[in-house]
Amino acid sequence: MDEFDIRKRINEILNNLLIFSIVLISSVLIAVRVFGQDNDYQNYLYFWDNMTPGFSDSESRFEIVFVLLAELFKYIFHSSFTVFLFFIAFTSLSVKFHLFGKNKDFYFIALMYLLSMALFHEMTQIRAALAIALAFTAIYLRAKKQFTAAFVIFLISCFSHYSMLFLAIIFFPPHRWLEKGILSDKRLIIFGLLASFALGTTVSIMAQIIPMLRLYAERADIESFNFFSVRVVAVMPVLVFGFLSYRSFSSFEKRCYILSFVGLLLTPATSIIPTLASRLYELSFVGYFFWLPGIRRYKLLSYTFFALVCVYLFMRNVFISPIFNLA
């Protein structure tokens, strides 16, 4: 091994140590709720405190994988609730950061994620945090044509949080659809509109069948989804710039772009249940972190708009309209 290879190896080790340190410190801060507590924290704490050995998933609105994981930590590992929160945050961030590292500009993407979606997922919706990490791993493996492993991981993600079923729209389509089929750049708008129409016409029916959607629907009179907020308006140019580079995206980046594109179109169709519209939008927003580095044209401008949205989300959730304000 020559001097150049030695230096390269040392730089790789130092870089991995830095990334590990960022994930570790972030996970600790998340576990101790550095910005304060929220409603989801209280709900999860109540679930943890009232869970008994042999707890059945039917006794909880939480999914079976999450319940089994909680039982493992509480009754096998005898850990505290804070340790459990640390594990969820550390695992989900590690997986996502590993996927971020597949593309360029890792540190920018990682910082933007910590400022924005980590507040929604790792620090509040912890079931979604872990499920999303698994789901995007499955989608990445699907893009690499490792279907069996991808399908197993995708199923686990769905049984960690049922909203991952929405990602089926980018998991199952065959690769040829991304090039010349229904998901090619020329037909993507039609696909997005059809998907929006299909979900919009069935959302009321699903709300009668799925308990969680029924709960969301009951909140419709006191909640709303703002279509003109910064988080919606400022990403529209980013989507346009992404569309201009769509052909040069990898299979994984194309699937993630489709998620972001369809997610934005779905918000009007699902706005009759504002919480559902917000959840689907937040889920689709995660897709940006995986396809944004693949933009070839107007990249600096795209990063500027995207950074504006992420910083806005941080300011809104921590200072303007705090979601971490419970004692």
Side-chain angles (χ1 to χ4, degrees):
M1 184 178 292
D2 57 28
E3 184 177 352
F4 175 79
D5 290 332
I6 293 174
R7 289 182 178 179
K8 183 179 179 180
R9 182 58 180 164
I10 291 174
N11 287 336
E12 289 177 354
I13 293 173
L14 291 176
N15 185 62
N16 290 334
L17 285 174
L18 177 58
I19 295 173
F20 174 80
S21 299
I22 293 172
V23 172
L24 180 64
I25 294 172
S26 299
S27 300
V28 171
L29 295 176
I30 288 171
V32 300
R33 294 303 188 258
V34 63
F35 295 122
Q37 297 178 12
D38 59 280
N39 280 325
D40 282 355
Y41 178 89
Q42 295 297 325
N43 292 335
Y44 283 118
L45 181 60
Y46 177 84
F47 157 75
W48 178 272
D49 288 340
N50 290 275
M51 186 170 55
T52 58
F55 184 86
S56 170
D57 67 288
S58 62
E59 299 175 40
S60 169
R61 65 183 179 88
F62 298 150
E63 295 81 357
I64 186 171
V65 170
F66 180 81
V67 171
L68 291 175
L69 188 61
E71 289 182 345
L72 177 68
F73 269 79
K74 184 171 184 178
Y75 297 112
I76 303 299
F77 298 155
H78 302 288
S79 73
S80 66
F81 182 57
T82 301
V83 170
F84 179 61
L85 293 178
F86 169 81
F87 170 80
I88 296 291
F90 184 83
T91 302
S92 60
L93 284 179
S94 295
V95 172
K96 290 168 186 171
F97 277 29
H98 176 71
L99 293 176
F100 293 160
K102 301 294 182 182
N103 294 311
K104 299 180 294 183
D105 305 323
F106 165 81
Y107 287 103
F108 171 78
I109 295 298
L111 175 61
M112 292 302 102
Y113 183 82
L114 289 174
L115 286 176
S116 56
M117 297 314 297
L119 301 181
F120 285 114
H121 293 155
E122 278 75 12
M123 198 173 272
T124 55
Q125 303 166 22
I126 62 175
R127 290 167 23 252
L130 186 59
I132 288 171
L134 293 172
F136 276 94
T137 298
I139 293 165
Y140 177 79
L141 294 176
R142 174 75 173 98
K144 294 297 181 181
K145 300 182 180 180
Q146 301 177 37
F147 183 80
T148 302
F151 182 69
V152 171
I153 296 174
F154 184 68
L155 279 182
I156 295 173
S157 74
C158 291
F159 285 106
S160 298
H161 200 283
Y162 295 140
S163 65
M164 296 307 107
L165 290 169
F166 175 56
L167 298 184
I169 65 172
I170 62 171
F171 179 84
F172 286 106
H175 300 289
R176 64 180 182 275
W177 284 18
L178 299 171
E179 303 301 330
K180 298 180 180 180
I182 192 173
L183 298 179
S184 64
D185 55 343
K186 294 181 178 179
R187 302 178 183 178
L188 189 56
I189 295 177
I190 296 175
F191 173 81
L193 292 173
L194 288 175
S196 301
F197 177 78
L199 184 58
T201 55
T202 59
V203 66
S204 298
I205 299 174
M206 290 189 295
Q208 302 300 317
I209 300 173
I210 304 174
M212 185 58 70
L213 283 184
R214 191 181 308 122
L215 178 63
Y216 289 164
E218 291 171 356
R219 303 176 186 170
D221 293 336
I222 59 174
E223 295 180 344
S224 62
F225 185 90
N226 185 3
F227 297 103
F228 301 101
S229 67
V230 174
R231 68 172 179 165
V232 176
V233 175
V235 296
M236 291 182 180
V238 183
L239 275 176
V240 173
F241 298 144
F243 186 81
L244 296 177
S245 296
Y246 182 81
R247 289 188 180 183
S248 62
F249 284 168
S250 67
S251 176
F252 178 56
E253 290 169 340
K254 285 180 179 178
R255 292 173 190 272
C256 293
Y257 178 85
I258 292 167
L259 174 66
S260 300
F261 180 75
V262 173
L264 185 65
L265 292 179
L266 280 176
T267 51
T270 57
S271 60
I272 60 173
I273 304 180
T275 302
L276 175 62
S278 293
R279 293 292 182 267
L280 291 181
Y281 180 82
E282 291 162 10
L283 179 57
S284 67
F285 191 80
V286 177
Y288 286 83
F289 296 94
F290 298 106
W291 63 260
L292 194 63
I295 287 182
R296 302 293 183 268
R297 301 167 59 186
Y298 307 106
K299 189 166 189 174
L300 180 59
L301 200 54
S302 300
Y303 275 26
T304 301
F305 276 108
F306 189 67
L308 172 66
V309 175
C310 292
V311 172
Y312 164 76
L313 288 174
F314 177 81
M315 296 298 294
R316 189 194 71 171
N317 293 326
V318 177
F319 299 109
I320 301 173
S321 300
I323 59 176
F324 309 104
N325 57 359
L326 297 181

